[in-house]
């Protein structure tokens, strides 16, 4: 097998597996898990392998089972918007498929061109528009999951009440695909309402392949918006960022789809390391450097919008700010949505929350603004070693963590003069901070200053050590910072009940005993 299945895209986690299998059907996955269960062979389920916590790569010589060949759309209901697809379908391909039918996928990620829907579900991915379309725990309607075989034969089930002697239940779990086809849990429904006991599909959303392999997903798609408005704003402080968020919620209400933020360090790093990426609110350098200076006729010299009678910045000629906020709306009426956005922009300018801004007047300009935000992870990877942390914190004090870590590292000799940059950005709309430490190389002393300090800081604020990336191998030993002993004990009990042989994605998610 090639090295691509043995290591993650960051080249941070590398295993020694010699076998990578690519089944095409649920039946083939079932046969593989039956074989591996009978021989106690550890298994790593793998989708697009775009994860950031080492959850989809082997640690030692586990068998890799890739869903890449399971890439068929099984059904789409053009009335309800319910999509059923195999787990290996790439997110962007699914979005294009439903887009041709007037719908959109309810999640959007920077890795959408590579990540697979089964991996998205297994990691509980959040994405850029969770603020509007919610989490996968709400949009996933059903799942098909292949479970590992039990260590002992399943006892014969009791007959149904009133059934004859020859009318017993079949063996296995679930309905279609169970019995003689192995342990296939068939929860692949497209119903919005199904109040029939335990909602078992929720166990596998965010389980990171530790309980079974997701082979198919039923998901609720959203109507594709007829109107999309995108603005990039410069804020003088993080307090201004949170005030802008609050104003967006009040004034944009039902059309608000995303609110993202990035600090100056993130902006500078991204424009420096990605060709063609510009920040339209940062004046172009004298040497014609990578930073842009607006959108030509769409903006004034300082990035101020001159689109029709849209809005005017309070500080003409401003050249960026400590923080940038991306605000997006999805709606059905272009004129209505544009007016709402313009009134919002006028209000935040008048209140002093925003010093400068630009409102995209074309799809190309909107895509360029999004590229600045979505390109941060790629730019960080190009710069060198990256320590990545994905946390949830109370929104008002979210950036305190960035400033605290920046000061701690500088005091320990790992400041800008050592080539170390602490970068903060993320989904401000749902309290999700992406904290990244960029360094010339990986360094144990540097890591010792970062961990467990980051986890301790999060725990002290009653936050979560993983907002959307999952736990994987990276954070398994830190789970106790977010989950108490009773919760961890219950998680272990569920793992033991579903995977008694412990073959599913070992060393991930749960701390070692």
């Amino acid at each position: 097998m090639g090295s691509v299945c043995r290591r993650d895209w960051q080249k941070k986690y590398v295993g020694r597996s010699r076998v990578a299998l690519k089944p095409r059907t649920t039946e083939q996955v079932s046969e593989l898990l039956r074989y591996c269960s009978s021989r106690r062979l550890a298994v790593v389920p793998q989708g697009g392998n775009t994860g950031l916590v080492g959850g989809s790569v082997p640690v030692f010589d586990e068998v890799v089972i890739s869903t890449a060949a399971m890439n068929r759309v099984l059904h789409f209901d053009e009335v309800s918007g319910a999509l059923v697809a195999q787990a290996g379908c790439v997110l962007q391909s699914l979005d294009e498929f439903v887009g041709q039918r007037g719908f959109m996928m309810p999640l959007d990620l920077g890795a959408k061109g590579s990540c697979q829907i089964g991996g998205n579900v297994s990691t509980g991915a959040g994405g850029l528009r969770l603020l509007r379309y919610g989490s996968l725990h709400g949009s996933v309607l059903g799942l098909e999951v292949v479970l590992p075989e039990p260590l002992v034969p399943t006892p014969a089930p009791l007959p149904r009440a009133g059934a004859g002697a020859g009318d017993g239940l079949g063996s296995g779990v679930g309905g279609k695909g169970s019995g003689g086809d192995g342990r296939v849990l068939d929860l692949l429904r497209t119903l919005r309402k199904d109040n029939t006991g335990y909602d078992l599909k929720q166990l596998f959303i965010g389980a990171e392949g530790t309980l079974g392999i997701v082979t198919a997903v039923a998901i609720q798609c959203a109507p594709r918006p007829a109107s999309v408005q995108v603005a990039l704003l410069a804020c003088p402080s993080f307090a201004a960022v949170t005030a802008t968020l609050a104003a967006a919620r009040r004034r944009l209400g039902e059309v608000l789809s995303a609110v993202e933020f990035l600090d100056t360090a993130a902006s500078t790093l991204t424009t420096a390391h990605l060709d063609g990426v510009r920040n339209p609110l940062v004046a172009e350098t004298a040497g014609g450097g990578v930073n842009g200076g607006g959108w030509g006729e769409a903006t004034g010299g300082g990035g101020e919008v001159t689109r029709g009678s849209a809005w005017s910045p309070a500080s003409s000629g401003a050249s960026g700010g400590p923080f940038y906020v991306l605000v997006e709306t999805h709606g059905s009426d272009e004129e209505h949505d544009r007016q709402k956005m313009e009134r919002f922009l006028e209000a935040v300018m008048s209140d002093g929350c925003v010093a400068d801004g630009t409102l995209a007047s074309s799809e190309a300009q909107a895509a360029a603004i999004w590229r600045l935000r979505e390109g941060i992870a790629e730019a960080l990877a190009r710069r060198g070693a990256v320590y990545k942390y994905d946390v949830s914190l109370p929104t008002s004090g979210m950036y305190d963590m960035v400033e605290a870590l920046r000061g701690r590292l500088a005091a320990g000799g790992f400041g800008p003069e050592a080539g170390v940059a602490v970068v903060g950005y993320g989904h401000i709309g749902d309290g999700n901070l992406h904290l990244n430490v960029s360094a010339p190389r990986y360094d144990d002393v540097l890591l010792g200053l970062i961990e467990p300090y980051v986890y301790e800081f999060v725990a002290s604020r009653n936050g979560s050590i993983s907002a959307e990336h999952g736990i994987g191998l990276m954070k398994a030993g830190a789970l106790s910072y977010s989950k108490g002993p009773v919760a961890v004990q219950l998680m272990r009990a569920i793992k033991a009940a579903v995977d008694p042989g412990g073959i599913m994605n070992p060393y991930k998610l749960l701390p070692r005993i």
Side-chain angles (χ1 to χ4, degrees):
M1 62 176 283
S3 62
V4 65
C5 291
R6 286 198 296 257
R7 69 183 185 190
D8 70 321
W9 69 274
Q10 303 176 96
K11 301 179 182 178
K12 186 176 180 181
Y13 303 98
V14 183
R16 300 193 300 271
S17 295
R18 294 177 293 173
V19 178
L21 305 169
K22 294 185 177 181
R24 294 182 178 275
T25 67
T26 299
E27 290 73 20
Q28 290 176 349
V29 175
S30 180
E31 287 296 323
L32 290 174
L33 280 195
R34 179 186 291 115
Y35 181 89
C36 291
S37 294
S38 68
R39 288 159 177 78
R40 299 293 294 273
L41 297 176
V43 170
V44 175
Q46 189 176 94
N49 200 16
T50 59
L52 297 168
V53 292
S56 60
V57 291
V59 177
F60 298 109
D61 59 350
E62 300 93 314
V63 175
V64 175
I65 297 183
S66 167
T67 56
M70 302 181 70
N71 55 9
R72 293 186 299 116
V73 172
L74 303 177
H75 177 69
F76 182 67
D77 187 327
E78 297 194 24
V79 175
S80 69
L83 171 73
V84 182
Q86 285 186 302
C89 290
V90 172
L91 179 59
Q92 183 170 312
S93 298
L94 290 179
D95 191 58
E96 292 170 354
F97 174 86
V98 299
Q100 295 170 0
R101 293 155 179 82
F103 288 83
M104 62 176 283
M105 293 297 287
L107 75 159
D108 188 8
L109 310 174
K112 55 182 171 284
S114 303
C115 65
Q116 299 172 11
I117 190 63
N120 298 151
V121 169
S122 295
T123 57
L128 300 165
R129 297 188 176 92
L130 185 142
L131 176 67
R132 173 70 177 272
Y133 300 106
S135 73
L136 288 173
H137 285 283
S139 57
V140 170
L141 302 172
L143 294 175
E144 179 183 75
V145 187
V146 178
L147 308 177
E149 290 289 314
L151 295 178
V152 296
T154 303
L158 296 173
R160 295 188 185 95
D167 193 27
L169 294 173
S171 62
V173 179
K176 177 182 63 177
S178 308
D181 294 329
R183 296 233 301 171
V184 179
L185 179 62
D186 177 22
L187 303 170
L188 205 58
R189 312 289 189 266
T190 57
L191 306 174
R192 294 294 299 273
K193 301 175 75 173
D194 180 10
N195 191 16
T196 53
Y198 303 132
D199 191 2
L200 294 177
K201 68 178 182 293
Q202 300 295 342
L203 279 178
F204 302 92
I205 302 174
E208 302 184 38
T210 61
L211 300 178
I213 299 179
V214 173
T215 52
V217 178
I219 191 166
Q220 181 65 53
C221 298
R224 207 164 197 88
S227 164
V228 178
Q229 309 292 321
V230 178
L232 182 67
L233 314 175
C235 295
S237 65
F238 192 73
V241 171
T242 58
T244 300
L245 169 63
R249 284 177 165 150
R250 287 195 309 269
R251 293 181 175 273
L252 299 175
E254 76 286 356
V255 296
L256 185 62
S257 57
V259 182
E260 300 285 303
F261 95 98
L262 58 152
D263 62 13
T264 297
S267 172
T268 301
L269 187 147
T270 303
T271 54
H273 290 275
L274 297 184
D275 292 339
V277 177
R278 300 183 301 140
N279 184 332
L281 302 183
V282 176
E284 189 172 356
T285 60
V290 293
N291 291 340
W295 298 117
E297 294 181 357
T299 66
E304 58 267 43
V305 174
T306 58
R307 172 182 169 182
S309 58
W311 59 297
S312 299
S315 55
S316 179
S319 58
F323 298 94
Y324 300 95
V325 177
L326 186 158
V327 179
E328 180 193 71
T329 64
H330 281 181
S332 59
D333 187 310
E334 176 77 18
E335 183 65 20
H336 169 269
D337 298 342
R338 182 174 66 86
Q339 290 178 359
K340 282 183 75 81
M341 179 68 91
E342 290 171 355
R343 286 195 293 268
F344 156 71
L345 296 174
E346 290 169 358
V348 292
M349 291 293 292
S350 298
D351 292 342
C353 300
V354 171
D356 197 4
T358 185
L359 178 60
S361 59
S362 68
E363 289 186 11
Q365 290 180 5
I369 290 175
W370 270 114
R371 178 60 175 149
L372 175 67
R373 163 61 184 86
E374 292 185 292
I376 299 172
E378 181 183 350
L380 283 163
R382 291 189 181 189
R383 186 177 189 267
V386 190
Y387 299 90
K388 306 181 79 69
Y389 300 90
D390 155 61
V391 302
S392 286
L393 289 165
T395 305
S396 60
M398 180 189 296
Y399 202 73
D400 293 347
M401 184 174 186
V402 180
E403 294 175 331
L405 184 61
R406 192 174 284 155
R408 176 180 172 85
L409 297 188
F414 289 95
E417 69 285 349
V420 175
V422 180
V423 174
Y425 66 98
H427 316 300
I428 186 76
D430 51 57
N432 182 182
L433 170 68
H434 294 314
L435 173 68
N436 289 251
V437 178
S438 175
R441 66 195 64 82
Y442 290 110
D443 185 298
D444 289 341
V445 177
L446 174 59
L447 180 59
L449 289 171
I450 301 171
E451 296 181 17
Y453 175 78
V454 164
Y455 302 134
E456 292 170 347
F457 188 100
V458 171
S460 72
R461 303 295 177 94
N462 201 28
S464 170
I465 64 169
S466 178
E468 62 180 3
H469 291 170
I471 298 297
L473 177 65
M474 173 184 171
K475 301 180 182 179
L479 186 62
S480 61
Y481 287 100
S482 289
K483 288 285 189 290
V486 175
V488 173
Q489 183 181 20
L490 182 57
M491 291 168 70
R492 289 192 189 281
I494 293 170
K495 167 75 170 173
V498 179
D499 178 27
I503 70 168
M504 298 305 305
N505 215 7
Y507 320 110
K508 317 292 175 55
L509 200 150
L510 289 169
R512 300 189 193 186
I513 299 177

